[in-house]
Amino acid sequence: MILIVDDKPENIFSLKKILEINNFEVDTALSGEEALKKILKHSYALIILDVQMPGMDGFEVAENISGYSKSKDIPIIFLSAVNTDKRFITKGYASGGVDYITKPVDPDILILKVKTLYRLYEQTRDLNEAHLALRAEIEFRKQAQAELRERVQELRSTLESIPQIAFTAKSNGTIEFVNQQWYSYSSRQEEFPETHPDDPEIKEQWEASIRENRPLEMEVRIKALAEGSYQCHLLRTTPIKEGDNIIKWVGTFTDIEDQKQTEKRKDEFLSIASHELKTPLTSIKAYMQLLERAFSTELAAAADSGNYLKRAQFQVDKLHSLIADLLDISKIESGRMKFNKKVFRFDDLLTSSIDIITQTNHDVRIIRKGKVEELIYGDEIRIEQVILNYLTNAIKYSPDTKDVVVENSITPEGHILVKVVDFGVGIPADKQSQIFNKYYRVEETSHRFQGLGIGLYICSEIIKRHSGTFGVESNANNGSCFYFTIPKYTGQPI
Ligand code: ADP
C-alpha cells in the first residue's frame, strides 16, 4: 500500500486517482503527524510526501520515519512545488528519501518512479525475509552441530570407559576415533589391528560392509603388540542413523580368547573321554557276544540268564551309540569327519533304515508315503544315521502315540525330500530355530526324556556335507515334522 501525505485534499485526490488507475492501493494523511501515526500502525511499501506542509514539514516526517526500525526501509518520494533548489533536493535525500519530484506532477513520470520504487521495496523486503530465514537456518544448524558435538563427546567418553577395543568411523568408513585399548593392538588410528594369517583381513571385510551398508560381525584373531601373540576377538560394527541415513559407525572388538580356550579344552576333553570310553566298551561287547554264543549252545535251558544278557547288550549298544555321537562331535570340531561317498538307490536305504527301527521297536507303526526311484551320491552309513536319528527322535518324543509317518518325494528342484512326521510332544515355535544347535535341548521336555542334545546337530552337519537342507515344522503338543533334502544324483559326482 502507498501512503500519500499532503495537506491539500485536492492534491491528494488527484494523486490517489492516478495511482488507483494503475492498480495501487492507496492510503492518505493530511499532515505529518497523522502520517507518523499511520506509519506506526500499518505497513507501507512507499510514501509520497509533500515537503511543504504546515506544522511538521516533509523533511521532518522523513527524519522521524528513518528513526523507526519498522519503517526505516520504506522508500519516500518527496513532492515539492517550490523547493526545486539543489540544496533542498540534497536535504530530501539526506533525510532518508530516495526520490524527488517537483510539482506540477507529470503522471507518467510519477507512475514510473512509483513502480520502480515499489519493485525496489518488494525486492528489499524479499531480500530481508530471505536473510532472516537464512539466519534462522544458520542458528538451527549451529545448534544441531553443537548437539551433535556433545553427543559425539558423550559417545567417546563411553567408549573410553569400556573394556573392549572401540572405534567410530564416518559413514564412508574412515576411522575418526579410537579408544585407548586400540593402541594395544594397532599403532595407528587409521589402521586395523593385524590379523592372523589364516583369518580374513579386517580391512577387506570392513570395506565390503560399508559398501553394502550392513553391520559386520566376525570372529578374528588379532595381534597384541606387546605380547606378539594373536588373541581371538569378536568384532561387531553398528550403524548410527539419522532418519534413513547412516551418519556414523561404531565398532567394538571383544576379547573372547578365554572363552575360545575353554571351548577348545572342552572339545579336547570330549574327544579324549569318548576315545577312552570306547576302548573298554568294545572289549565288553566282544566278551558279551562270546558269552551269548556259549549260553545258546551249552545252557540253552537257562533262558532267563540269556534274557539278562540281552538286556545288558541293549544297554551296551545304547552306550556305544552315545559314545559314537560324542566321537562324531569331536570329528566335526576338528574337521576330521570323513565321508565315503558312492552312488546308490535312495529308496533301498530308506527301507532298510525303517526295518532297523521296526525290529527294535515292536509297538511302533511306521506308515510310508511316497516312493522315489532316484539315485543319490553320498555316504550311505552317514545318511542312514540321519534317518535313524529322525526316526528314534520321532518315537522317543511321542510316548503316547504309536504312529510315525515317513514321506518321501522329489522337490521341484530335483532334490530327494524325506519327512518324518510324529504326533508327539512337539516343539514350541520360539525353540525351533535352535533345535539343530550343538547341545541344545528343549527345556520344557528335557526332564522327561534322556539325551545329550547332539543328534540333530550331527545330522545337520551330515546333510550340509551332502549339499542338502534340513528343518522342522511343529506345534507344541501337536507333533513335529522333521525333514531333510539331498540333491539326487544327476550323473556328475556332487
Ligand atoms: P536329544 O534327543 O539327544 O536330546 P537331539 O539333538 O536329537 O538330542 O534333539 C535335540 C532336541 O530337539 C531334543 O532334546 C528335543 O528337545 C528336541 N526334539 C528332537 N526331535 C524331536 C521330536 N520329534 N519331537 C519333539 N522334540 C524333538
Side-chain angles (χ1 to χ4, degrees):
M1 187 148 54
I2 298 173
L3 177 66
I4 304 170
V5 189
D6 202 314
D7 58 320
K8 294 187 189 71
E10 62 279 15
N11 285 354
I12 287 189
F13 181 77
S14 64
L15 277 177
K16 195 169 179 241
K17 272 278 157 279
I18 298 170
L19 291 172
E20 279 174 351
I21 287 168
N22 283 277
N23 298 324
F24 289 105
E25 264 187 88
V26 177
D27 194 8
T28 58
L30 285 163
S31 69
E33 289 80 357
E34 189 190 352
L36 286 180
K37 274 187 207 152
K38 286 201 162 183
I39 287 165
L40 280 178
K41 263 202 212 147
H42 310 288
S43 288
Y44 297 105
L46 176 68
I47 299 168
I48 299 176
L49 193 53
D50 184 24
V51 172
Q52 277 242 306
M53 287 185 291
M56 192 184 273
D57 74 9
F59 299 133
E60 279 177 82
V61 176
E63 258 169 29
N64 274 298
I65 291 173
S66 67
Y68 307 148
S69 65
K70 179 172 179 264
S71 55
K72 69 179 185 348
D73 293 326
I74 306 175
I76 298 169
I77 298 177
F78 288 107
L79 287 181
S80 174
V82 285
N83 297 319
T84 45
D85 185 317
K86 196 173 160 192
R87 199 161 37 92
F88 285 106
I89 294 175
T90 321
K91 192 173 179 195
Y93 280 102
S95 61
V98 286
D99 219 328
Y100 212 101
I101 292 184
T102 49
K103 291 180 188 172
V105 174
D106 176 335
D108 293 336
I109 298 284
L110 176 77
I111 286 302
L112 272 180
K113 292 200 173 193
V114 165
K115 278 187 176 165
T116 312
L117 290 177
Y118 204 96
R119 206 174 318 121
L120 196 73
Y121 170 80
E122 279 178 335
Q123 283 170 354
T124 314
R125 190 194 52 200
D126 291 350
L127 216 64
N128 282 344
E129 275 170 12
H131 182 68
L132 278 178
L134 215 63
R135 289 240 327 244
E137 174 76 17
I138 290 170
E139 262 324 298
F140 174 77
R141 285 191 182 209
K142 264 193 195 160
Q143 208 175 332
Q145 261 174 0
E147 274 169 23
L148 192 68
R149 261 201 305 276
E150 212 171 288
R151 268 172 49 199
V152 167
Q153 207 42 51
E154 255 177 46
L155 176 67
R156 289 184 178 180
S157 315
T158 312
L159 294 183
E160 275 303 356
S161 68
I162 60 174
Q164 281 98 333
I165 305 168
F167 63 95
T168 66
K170 290 186 190 161
S171 57
N172 67 3
T174 313
I175 297 176
E176 53 179 6
F177 166 80
V178 296
N179 69 359
Q180 215 38 50
Q181 280 79 298
W182 176 275
Y183 292 107
S184 304
Y185 293 84
S186 169
S187 49
R188 298 178 58 217
Q189 167 174 322
E190 54 281 7
E191 252 174 43
F192 278 110
E194 184 185 328
T195 54
H196 189 278
D198 295 341
D199 289 352
E201 276 286 333
I202 299 173
K203 189 165 177 272
E204 280 167 24
Q205 305 290 322
W206 167 245
E207 284 170 355
S209 84
I210 295 288
R211 263 198 310 277
E212 293 155 24
N213 275 344
R214 61 169 167 79
L216 184 63
E217 181 165 329
M218 65 188 277
E219 283 185 14
V220 62
R221 283 168 291 177
I222 54 175
K223 194 172 187 175
L225 294 181
E227 295 85 2
S229 57
Y230 292 95
Q231 316 265 323
C232 196
H233 280 73
L234 175 68
L235 165 60
R236 267 207 189 120
T237 66
T238 321
I240 297 183
K241 289 186 173 179
E242 226 173 56
D244 283 342
N245 294 332
I246 295 177
I247 52 159
K248 218 179 249 304
W249 290 89
V250 181
T252 54
F253 287 87
T254 309
D255 191 338
I256 51 167
E257 183 62 28
D258 286 350
Q259 203 179 318
K260 282 274 148 191
Q261 291 299 341
T262 314
E263 252 175 56
K264 205 170 142 206
R265 277 197 294 276
K266 190 188 72 200
D267 289 339
E268 276 168 8
F269 169 77
L270 257 182
S271 165
I272 294 166
S274 42
H275 268 107
E276 293 297 317
L277 285 170
K278 204 186 166 191
T279 321
L281 189 68
T282 314
S283 313
I284 295 174
K285 265 188 95 169
Y287 286 126
M288 284 181 69
Q289 272 164 9
L290 287 176
L291 260 178
E292 195 188 21
R293 225 169 286 158
F295 268 124
S296 57
T297 51
E298 291 166 28
L299 289 167
D304 251 6
S305 313
N307 212 4
Y308 288 144
L309 205 59
K310 275 214 173 63
R311 284 190 212 167
Q313 214 160 19
F314 178 73
Q315 293 302 330
V316 169
D317 283 344
K318 234 166 113 177
L319 196 58
H320 188 263
S321 103
L322 279 176
I323 293 171
D325 276 356
L326 287 176
L327 271 173
D328 278 348
I329 289 280
S330 62
K331 279 184 198 155
I332 293 170
E333 296 307 325
S334 57
R336 280 185 294 111
M337 188 176 246
K338 295 277 176 298
F339 288 87
N340 200 354
K341 292 191 181 177
K342 60 180 185 142
V343 178
F344 62 90
R345 211 167 151 261
F346 184 74
D347 188 65
D348 295 343
L349 178 68
L350 189 59
T351 308
S352 73
S353 310
I354 292 174
D355 283 350
I356 294 174
I357 293 293
T358 39
Q359 271 161 29
T360 41
N361 297 274
H362 299 295
D363 48 350
V364 171
R365 193 163 60 143
I366 297 187
I367 303 155
R368 282 198 66 174
K369 289 187 181 168
K371 184 176 168 118
V372 301
E373 295 301 332
E374 267 68 11
L375 298 177
I376 196 168
Y377 177 73
D379 184 323
E380 242 179 315
I381 296 178
R382 288 297 181 190
I383 298 176
E384 181 189 80
Q385 188 180 345
V386 175
I387 301 170
L388 293 181
N389 213 309
Y390 273 28
L391 285 172
T392 12
N393 276 355
I395 296 166
K396 179 160 87 173
Y397 294 101
S398 312
D400 305 324
T401 56
K402 271 190 174 159
D403 290 349
V404 172
V405 179
V406 176
E407 281 179 45
N408 195 196
S409 58
I410 297 287
T411 67
E413 301 84 42
H415 292 196
I416 291 177
L417 168 67
V418 179
K419 286 183 176 179
V420 175
V421 183
D422 68 57
F423 306 93
V425 297
I427 301 158
D430 59 326
K431 306 286 158 68
Q432 289 169 23
S433 62
Q434 301 174 70
I435 213 88
F436 287 87
N437 290 353
K438 194 167 52 166
Y439 307 129
Y440 187 80
R441 308 200 69 223
V442 174
E443 221 181 297
E444 286 85 339
T445 49
S446 60
H447 56 280
R448 280 178 69 195
F449 307 97
Q450 285 181 341
L452 294 179
I454 53 180
L456 288 180
Y457 170 68
I458 297 170
C459 291
S460 72
E461 288 298 314
I462 295 173
I463 299 164
K464 275 190 229 160
R465 295 284 296 271
H466 283 85
S467 314
T469 60
F470 53 86
V472 62
E473 287 156 12
S474 176
N475 287 316
N477 303 320
N478 221 351
S480 313
C481 166
F482 278 84
Y483 65 86
F484 72 86
T485 67
I486 292 185
K488 70 178 180 189
Y489 178 65
T490 52
Q492 299 290 323
I494 298 156

